[in-house]
Amino acid sequence: MSLAPPLLSLLCNPFTGEPLHERGGELVGAASGQRFPIRAGIPVILPPRPPLRARFYRRFYDLAARLYDGVVQSGGRWGINAEERLRREVIAQLALPPGARLLETAIGSGLNAAHLPPDIEYFGLDLSWGMLAAARRNLAAQGRAAHLIQADGAYIPLHTAAFDFVLHLGGLQFYADPFRGVSEMARVLKPGGRAVILDEAAAARRLLRRLPAHRKYAPDIPTAAASMTRLVPFTITEFESHLLPGGQFFQLTFTKPAV
Ligand SMILES: C[S@@+](CC[C@H](N)C(=O)[O-])C[C@H]1O[C@@H](n2cnc3c(N)ncnc32)[C@H](O)[C@@H]1O
């Protein structure tokens, strides 16, 4: 199965920066000849030697994929429909214009898709094949076109300055290197493009506390939520992070400077 031209034209080797060409049912680095598989129409572009944390969560979400939608949609411990409302409100805030190109990192089973306008170009990546397979089923059931990629969000295999928006909900706490993850989001944004990142507030504290140089910025959950701006690369001048009402999630937003 050949990849759709809009996806193929944006793919690159995240470890070398070179373009990727489709040849004989796989992707091949234009200069290095490094090869990446295409599995059931989805490019698989993963680090050759992933850190232990990435291996663990990839396996974990492969196993959790079958149960994920049921657990999340039942409201779980966040209260009935609280998360659904959050998804709707965050996506409404983005005010995606027709034709906008959106990348969702850690797309999971694609639960945000139901809230997206129909007339955008939608790309999604996730570390877990199980979650991507669920996303593909969910998106097909909604008749929603999307370009899916299996990749680590800290090594996004997509060209620099290619996206109008990046959306991320609930995956950053699992990244082995969340700084690299946010920096990659900034890289793929077009000048003037905007990223919105949400995750559990308690996870913000855990995340900063596991990084020795940043531990002191997370004495409590509200301070940790505000300190998530520490993850934003120094080239970004417009950014902010805060605890959302209810105190269960934080939201980090930044805009790439227009040049
Ligand atoms: C709690 S789920 C959130 C899924 C989805 N964003 C949602 O809103 O339902 C976390 C997701 O992060 C993904 N993930 C964890 N580490 C990742 C990484 N390093 N790169 C990309 N995705 C990752 C997992 O596979 C899982 O799908």
Side-chain angles (χ1 to χ4, degrees):
M1 191 193 300
S2 281
L3 295 180
L7 174 58
L8 192 55
S9 68
L10 290 182
L11 284 176
C12 69
N13 183 341
F15 314 110
T16 62
E18 68 195 328
L20 292 171
H21 300 308
E22 191 175 1
R23 196 181 308 141
E26 57 185 5
L27 290 161
V28 183
S32 69
Q34 195 175 352
R35 288 147 59 160
F36 300 95
I38 301 173
R39 182 176 176 189
I42 295 180
V44 178
I45 306 176
L46 292 166
R49 280 174 298 281
L52 184 63
R53 195 175 176 86
R55 276 184 282 153
F56 175 84
Y57 281 111
R58 183 177 160 196
R59 180 85 47 98
F60 175 87
Y61 275 102
D62 278 346
L63 294 171
R66 285 187 182 281
L67 302 173
Y68 183 79
D69 287 11
V71 171
V72 169
Q73 283 166 343
S74 72
R77 62 196 164 87
W78 293 321
I80 299 297
N81 287 333
E83 192 173 319
E84 207 51 28
R85 191 170 58 243
L86 183 72
R87 294 177 191 282
R88 205 174 43 241
E89 286 173 3
V90 167
I91 290 168
Q93 262 179 43
L94 282 175
L96 297 163
R101 191 183 282 159
L102 168 75
L103 171 65
E104 183 172 355
T105 52
I107 185 175
S109 60
L111 291 179
N112 289 318
H115 304 288
L116 295 170
D119 46 5
I120 60 162
E121 255 192 288
Y122 184 31
F123 291 69
L125 70 79
D126 201 278
L127 186 60
S128 153
W129 177 260
M131 294 298 271
L132 285 171
R136 190 156 57 176
R137 282 194 301 275
N138 286 340
L139 295 166
Q142 294 170 30
R144 150 86 59 187
H147 304 292
L148 299 178
I149 309 163
Q150 187 180 11
D152 187 321
Y155 298 89
I156 299 180
L158 291 160
H159 283 306
T160 299
F163 290 85
D164 301 295
F165 296 91
V166 170
L167 172 66
H168 181 100
L169 213 145
L172 201 59
Q173 59 179 297
F174 306 115
Y175 282 33
D177 185 346
F179 282 84
R180 202 174 201 293
V182 175
S183 152
E184 279 289 87
M185 294 179 204
R187 181 184 64 77
V188 299
L189 278 176
K190 294 178 186 173
R194 195 144 51 94
V196 176
I197 301 165
L198 276 90
D199 207 338
E200 289 171 87
R205 183 160 184 262
R206 285 196 301 273
L207 184 154
L208 291 174
R209 289 185 73 82
R210 85 174 143 91
L211 306 166
H214 304 275
R215 203 166 279 162
K216 65 180 174 205
Y217 301 98
D220 51 56
I221 290 177
T223 311
S227 301
M228 290 302 278
T229 53
R230 301 188 62 75
L231 272 66
V232 174
F234 74 95
T235 49
I236 304 288
T237 50
E238 204 182 311
F239 54 83
E240 92 63 49
S241 182
H242 64 278
L243 200 57
L244 292 176
Q248 285 167 319
F249 292 90
F250 74 87
Q251 177 174 334
L252 167 63
T253 312
F254 65 85
T255 304
K256 187 163 175 173
V259 281

